[in-house]
Amino acid sequence: MTSATKVNPDLSDERKKVEFDVEEFTNWYYKGAENVAEKRFLENFFLSDPELEDKVPTSYLSHKEKYENAVRKAVLVVNKIKELQADGRGGVDIYMALLGGTLGTAIFREANPITVHFVMFLPAIMNHGTSDQQAEWISRAWNCNIIGTYAQTELGHGTYIRGLETTATYDPKSKEFILNSPNLTSYKWWPGGLGHTTNYAIVIAQLHSLGKCHGIQPFIVQLRDEETHMPLKGIKIGEIGNKVGMNTVNNGFLAFDNVRIPLKNMLMKNAKVLEDGQFIKPKSSVLTYGTMMFVRVVILKDMASYLSKAVTIALRYSMVRRQSPIEPNKPEPKIIEHVTQQYKIFPAIAKVIVFKITAEFLWDMYNQVTHDLDKGDLERLPELHAISCCLKAVCTNEAAQAVEICRLSTGGHGYLNSAGFQDIYGMVTAAQTYEGENTVMFLQTARYLIKCWEKAMNGEKLTPTVSYLENFIKGRNSRQSFQNSPSGILKAFQLAAAKKIAESNKHLEERKKYLSPEEATNQTGLELINASELHCQAFLLQATIEVLEDSTKQTSLQLRSVLKDLLELYSVDLALRYTGSLLEFANMTSSDIEFLQRSLEALLKKLRYNILGIVDGFDHPDQILGSVLGTYDGNVYENLINAAMKSPLNQEDVNKSFHLYLKPFMKSNL
Ligand SMILES: CCCCCCCCCCCCCCCC(=O)SCCNC(=O)CCNC(=O)[C@H](O)C(C)(C)COP(=O)(O)OP(=O)(O)OC[C@H]1O[C@@H](n2cnc3c(N)ncnc32)[C@H](O)[C@@H]1OP(=O)(O)O
Ligand SMILES: Cc1cc2nc3c(=O)[nH]c(=O)nc-3n(C[C@H](O)[C@H](O)[C@H](O)COP(=O)(O)OP(=O)(O)OC[C@H]3O[C@@H](n4cnc5c(N)ncnc54)[C@H](O)[C@@H]3O)c2cc1C
């Protein structure tokens, strides 16, 4: 962690003021010293390999060079993982660490080009394949003998997947499916790695058999020859072009012209087609959507990781950058002394902890529900779908906003690629759209909330994430005055969510009197989103309060007290961001707002000298941060000039454009 160079005294002075044991926080954050040791081992194992180091910063590479460099590294990384596994080290977790998160993005900067193979292609075979299909494909895919993608989205449809247009028509004579892209809008568009990396895909297509359409189903399709990598007959394939971020991913397009695949290539764990073409329905049609749910769950953890990098860069920089005297005739202070600067960064640090805790909570819930599904029990599937949709939306939206604020908090230098924000921003903003566009995700949760509301009104028992609606109906919370504490703010959010759900339902029902249910839902969309967001914020706070309470029982008093301050900061900031809803629905008064404002300011002050310990405790080595502004030693000005010198333009004193264009132009103007 410590750098060999001399640490900027401004930063070393700050470190002396931290009142808790940073290593204790690190062990708490990563759930044990063993996990920390493993994390550090992995970081060192991968980041000390000179083959994985970029001689020229990747931002100076062309689109093609970036891609080729990323594929080279992806192969190296998987080979290194196999090396570790041969030594009996690690399992699936190693892959997770390298597909996204901090280690993966440190190596690839923009993204790992084969992430979709591991997080979607393989899980789709595991979730939707029969045991025979798993036996045929899993080990080849796991060993990367074949590399696949998940081809669902088309030029014309991404959200409304029932509207996909690619067809898979069963031919009982040859016992094959014939895949076709009937028009331009049916071209697959976006799948990660599809352009030039993958040779297989899970293709989601409309199944036609015996003259009937049976809706979308997953098929495993070979796209390229395993030796030559040439696209197979009838397959048109390419890359969709460069993007805001994630440029190493090679997202692609794909079209089929009478491509035949055998019957056994439809993934048939749920729905089935028999040899004679008869279609056997799945237990539930939404089981086809399982792979998307898995990724929505892992995205949350990813958001905590990316944001933890952004806040580390912003805070360390703010503790060495000096600008603008606060008192006339006094020296220029560190910019962190400007209270507005503290407000830009401290609440975002609290968010990292809240997102991480909730991500782990959701991961446990996902494992429980999928375990139940394997036994044929689908009861908690709608609840998991609903909570994962709104969490994906809130956490990616908030991470994107917070990363941008962190960038702004570093002024002009933050706009440089070498500051590291651009790559982080590219990753978090992509997640607002992929795996379900966020507005659509909020509406999915709202659909569930309205159903729960109706159930609760009928006196039916609700599942844990919505049980507060029962309490509301029984009138337990409604008369309470607003309490300025995390649990008081939680109650206010639950009350506001319940009232907003009730109000949306009322307006929905009114509209249903003269509109179709679907159009009534459309007209009520703004309120439904609002209800969904309030519900999600309540859940994030509740999960954090419960986990913090439990997990800090064994920690030192000093650490517990800082974590308590961070939880208070998170909840006070949350309440202030939602004063409109809380004033409207949760017995909040204007004097409560004034009090919250004072609490916010007091908490910023209280955390001022401990907050560096938290970002240091995230334990990101300089290579993970990849930022000239965030290095542990705080020598930002040396880093800035060193990074500038790596610009290809700085490798010569005079660029040829001077002789070609500028000189003739400047002389002719004489
Ligand atoms: C550190 C860690 C590193 C980690 C490692 C890095 C990881 C991070 C890298 C990732 C990299 C990925 C790259 C992006 C990969 C793509 O983006 S793949 C493409 C993803 N596409 C989408 O998500 C499309 C979004 N659209 C949809 O999900 C659905 O079509 C919609 C919006 C839910 C609508 O579908 P629909 O059939 O019209 O559904 P609808 O009529 O609204 O509802 C029908 C019923 O199904 C239910 N339902 C809908 N969906 C589901 C579901 N999934 N489950 C259960 N029930 C469902 C509804 O609740 C509803 O239930 P009822 O109310 O009727 O009881
Ligand atoms: C970086 C990246 C990687 C991706 N990787 C993959 C991949 O590997 N595989 C794959 O199959 N796909 C992938 N995708 C595609 C992605 O899943 C879709 O882009 C996403 O689901 C949104 O669909 P869309 O593009 O059709 O947006 P649209 O649905 O067209 O959204 C456009 C607007 O319409 C609104 N809208 C649409 N429907 C509704 C509704 N019902 N109610 C209210 N508003 C609505 C949306 O809110 C949005 O504002 C990727 C996308 C990106 C950006």
Side-chain angles (χ1 to χ4, degrees):
M1 187 74 187
T2 45
S3 163
T5 52
K6 198 169 171 300
V7 175
N8 184 320
D10 275 346
L11 211 45
S12 46
D13 286 350
E14 291 281 345
R15 290 200 169 103
K16 285 182 201 135
K17 292 178 189 151
V18 173
E19 290 163 332
F20 63 94
D21 178 359
V22 173
E23 189 72 5
E24 187 190 5
F25 168 73
T26 307
N27 290 339
W28 174 85
Y29 185 76
Y30 293 103
K31 304 184 112 183
E34 267 181 26
N35 293 341
V36 175
E38 184 64 11
K39 172 188 112 53
R40 288 177 183 164
F41 166 80
L42 285 179
E43 285 168 353
N44 186 48
F45 181 73
F46 286 95
L47 298 174
S48 64
D49 186 336
E51 291 292 313
L52 288 173
E53 202 183 310
D54 291 308
K55 312 285 175 271
V56 177
T58 55
S59 57
Y60 291 117
L61 300 181
S62 72
H63 183 59
K64 206 163 165 230
E65 288 166 335
K66 266 188 195 176
Y67 168 67
E68 288 160 358
N69 185 40
V71 172
R72 179 186 68 80
K73 287 187 191 172
V75 170
L76 257 168
V77 162
V78 175
N79 283 337
K80 284 178 81 74
I81 293 177
K82 287 183 182 167
E83 207 181 297
L84 284 175
Q85 288 178 332
D87 280 354
R89 256 196 123 107
V92 179
D93 284 356
I94 304 186
Y95 286 91
M96 293 306 272
L98 288 148
L99 295 173
T102 50
L103 183 52
T105 41
I107 294 171
F108 295 97
R109 293 296 296 197
E110 296 195 39
N112 183 333
I114 56 171
T115 291
V116 174
H117 170 74
F118 286 106
V119 300
M120 297 203 80
F121 180 72
L122 260 162
I125 302 174
M126 292 199 253
N127 291 333
H128 307 304
T130 61
S131 43
D132 282 352
Q133 290 173 319
Q134 294 190 14
E136 181 171 356
W137 301 109
I138 294 280
S139 72
R140 293 193 77 208
W142 193 241
N143 292 326
C144 293
N145 304 128
I146 58 172
I147 299 180
T149 186
Y150 183 81
Q152 180 172 289
T153 307
E154 296 173 355
L155 255 178
H157 292 91
T159 292
Y160 182 60
I161 53 183
R162 281 185 286 157
L164 295 176
E165 295 172 285
T166 304
T167 55
T169 308
Y170 184 61
D171 173 6
K173 277 193 223 117
S174 62
K175 299 187 181 47
E176 288 172 322
F177 293 101
I178 308 160
L179 291 166
N180 271 302
S181 308
N183 47 37
L184 182 60
T185 51
S186 70
Y187 275 41
K188 293 291 173 192
W189 191 267
W190 271 116
L194 172 63
H196 301 84
T197 318
T198 62
N199 55 2
Y200 277 74
I202 299 297
V203 173
I204 309 293
Q206 299 286 356
L207 166 67
H208 293 260
S209 187
L210 305 178
K212 274 183 80 177
C213 178
H214 298 287
I216 52 168
Q217 299 297 337
F219 300 84
I220 180 158
V221 185
Q222 182 175 354
L223 305 175
R224 290 174 177 271
D225 183 90
E226 287 189 27
E227 285 302 319
T228 63
H229 208 53
M230 281 299 287
L232 297 183
K233 191 167 161 275
I235 288 176
K236 190 169 160 189
I237 204 164
E239 196 224 25
I240 64 172
N242 57 5
K243 306 166 293 258
V244 173
M246 298 186 82
N247 278 300
T248 42
V249 173
N250 190 227
N251 298 80
F253 67 81
L254 166 69
F256 299 104
D257 179 12
N258 287 313
V259 173
R260 288 179 171 265
I261 54 167
L263 172 63
K264 68 179 174 67
N265 280 28
M266 174 175 145
L267 295 179
M268 294 208 211
K269 184 171 166 189
N270 303 313
K272 290 180 183 44
V273 172
L274 305 183
E275 285 196 353
D276 63 3
Q278 201 186 321
F279 177 71
I280 311 288
K281 274 190 177 171
K283 197 165 179 183
S284 159
S285 61
V286 297
L287 290 172
T288 330
Y289 300 166
T291 312
M292 289 182 278
M293 176 144 36
F294 166 72
V295 181
R296 285 171 199 152
V297 170
V298 292
I299 284 174
L300 217 60
K301 207 170 186 176
D302 236 18
M303 291 305 110
S305 302
Y306 298 140
L307 187 53
S308 70
K309 279 173 66 164
V311 294
T312 305
I313 299 167
L315 188 78
R316 285 188 185 154
Y317 177 72
S318 301
M319 289 181 167
V320 296
R321 175 74 164 176
R322 290 176 175 273
Q323 188 118 228
S324 313
I326 292 171
E327 303 267 14
N329 311 322
K330 289 248 172 97
E332 289 184 286
K334 298 170 180 171
I335 54 173
I336 199 65
E337 305 304 356
H338 299 287
V339 173
T340 48
Q341 181 77 358
Q342 296 170 14
Y343 181 59
K344 284 175 196 160
I345 308 170
F346 297 5
I349 294 172
K351 271 182 201 169
V352 173
I353 295 173
V354 171
F355 291 180
K356 169 135 186 309
I357 285 177
T358 312
E360 281 158 1
F361 194 99
L362 187 65
W363 181 242
D364 291 345
M365 187 174 167
Y366 172 81
N367 283 323
Q368 183 56 50
V369 174
T370 43
H371 177 75
D372 295 348
L373 279 180
D374 285 341
K375 291 191 294 181
D377 176 0
L378 275 69
E379 202 188 327
R380 288 195 73 192
L381 183 64
E383 183 189 22
L384 175 64
H385 168 59
I387 198 67
S388 60
C389 281
C390 66
L391 281 171
K392 185 266 185 195
V394 164
C395 295
T396 57
N397 280 352
E398 296 213 350
Q401 281 166 16
V403 169
E404 177 61 355
I405 291 172
C406 284
R407 178 186 74 78
L408 293 170
S409 80
T410 58
H413 299 326
Y415 197 66
L416 284 163
N417 262 329
S418 58
F421 291 112
Q422 178 175 334
D423 295 331
I424 305 175
Y425 191 66
M427 298 298 286
V428 292
T429 46
Q432 291 178 287
T433 304
Y434 68 55
E435 223 51 70
E437 195 281 328
N438 280 354
T439 304
V440 176
M441 295 292 93
F442 278 129
L443 290 171
Q444 280 292 304
T445 306
R447 181 181 167 112
Y448 175 76
L449 294 175
I450 293 291
K451 283 192 174 171
C452 290
W453 175 257
E454 284 162 357
K455 278 191 186 171
M457 290 299 281
N458 291 331
E460 287 178 51
K461 186 118 193 72
L462 298 182
T463 46
T465 55
V466 278
S467 57
Y468 66 90
L469 292 177
E470 289 175 48
N471 297 340
F472 171 71
I473 287 169
K474 287 179 200 149
R476 284 189 204 155
N477 291 331
S478 56
R479 284 178 300 278
Q480 282 174 5
S481 59
F482 179 81
Q483 306 269 316
N484 180 10
S485 66
S487 59
I489 292 170
L490 169 62
K491 281 199 183 113
F493 267 85
Q494 289 177 332
L495 188 58
K499 285 190 179 171
K500 192 71 208 175
I501 296 166
E503 196 172 274
S504 310
N505 186 58
K506 188 177 108 196
H507 296 150
L508 192 58
E509 289 305 318
E510 281 167 9
R511 288 185 170 117
K512 279 187 194 165
K513 289 181 192 143
Y514 55 95
L515 293 171
S516 69
E518 292 77 12
E519 187 50 37
T521 306
N522 183 31
Q523 296 297 329
T524 318
L526 301 180
E527 286 189 283
L528 288 170
I529 283 184
N530 209 219
S532 191
E533 202 176 324
L534 287 166
H535 165 74
C536 188
Q537 293 293 9
F539 181 80
L540 278 160
L541 188 53
Q542 182 174 13
T544 309
I545 292 172
E546 282 171 15
V547 172
L548 267 187
E549 168 85 32
D550 206 45
S551 67
T552 52
K553 282 191 180 130
Q554 308 297 323
T555 61
S556 66
L557 274 177
Q558 292 90 331
L559 177 58
R560 202 177 314 153
S561 147
V562 174
L563 289 172
K564 189 170 151 285
D565 292 343
L566 280 167
L567 172 64
E568 280 177 21
L569 176 69
Y570 177 82
S571 44
V572 165
D573 175 51
L574 184 68
L576 283 167
R577 286 192 287 130
Y578 282 85
T579 44
S581 298
L582 299 186
L583 279 169
E584 189 179 357
F585 297 119
N587 302 337
M588 186 192 240
T589 62
S590 54
S591 56
D592 290 325
I593 298 179
E594 200 182 344
F595 193 61
L596 280 168
Q597 186 63 36
R598 293 287 88 78
S599 304
L600 174 75
E601 288 154 7
L603 283 159
L604 294 176
K605 196 168 275 172
K606 210 167 166 201
L607 280 158
R608 162 68 184 86
Y609 292 105
N610 274 320
I611 200 83
L612 179 62
I614 298 291
V615 301
D616 278 353
F618 291 145
D619 201 51
H620 296 319
D622 291 349
Q623 278 168 288
I624 290 275
L625 292 177
S627 166
V628 290
L629 304 184
T631 51
Y632 187 83
D633 63 18
N635 292 323
V636 294
Y637 299 114
E638 291 84 342
N639 295 340
L640 278 161
I641 188 73
N642 289 340
M645 292 318 289
K646 289 187 184 157
S647 164
L649 284 173
N650 286 334
Q651 307 317 307
E652 54 194 4
D653 286 329
V654 179
N655 178 258
K656 65 179 180 197
S657 62
F658 173 75
H659 297 291
L660 282 173
Y661 311 114
L662 284 177
K663 191 172 175 187
F665 170 67
M666 290 153 87
K667 296 286 175 202
S668 71
N669 280 352
L670 276 178

